[in-house]
Amino acid sequence: MDPTLLALRWAHVLGAVIAMGGLVFARFALLPALAPLDAETRERIHDAIRRRWLPWVMAAITMILAS
């Protein structure tokens, strides 16, 4: 197989794994863990996670679209 096509395929798969893994983690682990906290604390944690997670999501989407 052509090395370029192989690299593009792996970039596509890696981007999908990063995006879906983060989504599944947030939905089934993070949100239930934050449920008992008060609204202000949940919002602060959500903002902190969003700031750290956004570059990963942008990179994953870029890899998916580029491949």
Side-chain angles (χ1 to χ4, degrees):
M1 177 178 265
D2 182 29
T4 305
L5 291 176
L6 186 62
L8 286 173
R9 182 174 294 171
W10 276 101
H12 190 85
V13 170
L14 182 62
V17 167
I18 290 171
M20 288 304 298
L23 180 66
V24 169
F25 168 75
R27 172 61 183 96
F28 295 108
L30 183 63
L31 289 177
L34 295 179
L37 301 176
D38 62 284
E40 181 182 337
T41 304
R42 273 195 317 265
E43 187 64 30
R44 281 197 334 255
I45 293 171
H46 186 245
D47 288 340
I49 291 170
R50 187 181 320 136
R51 278 193 307 271
R52 289 175 180 89
W53 182 237
L54 184 61
W56 287 94
V57 171
M58 290 178 8
I61 291 171
T62 302
M63 285 193 301
I64 291 170
L65 292 174
S67 62

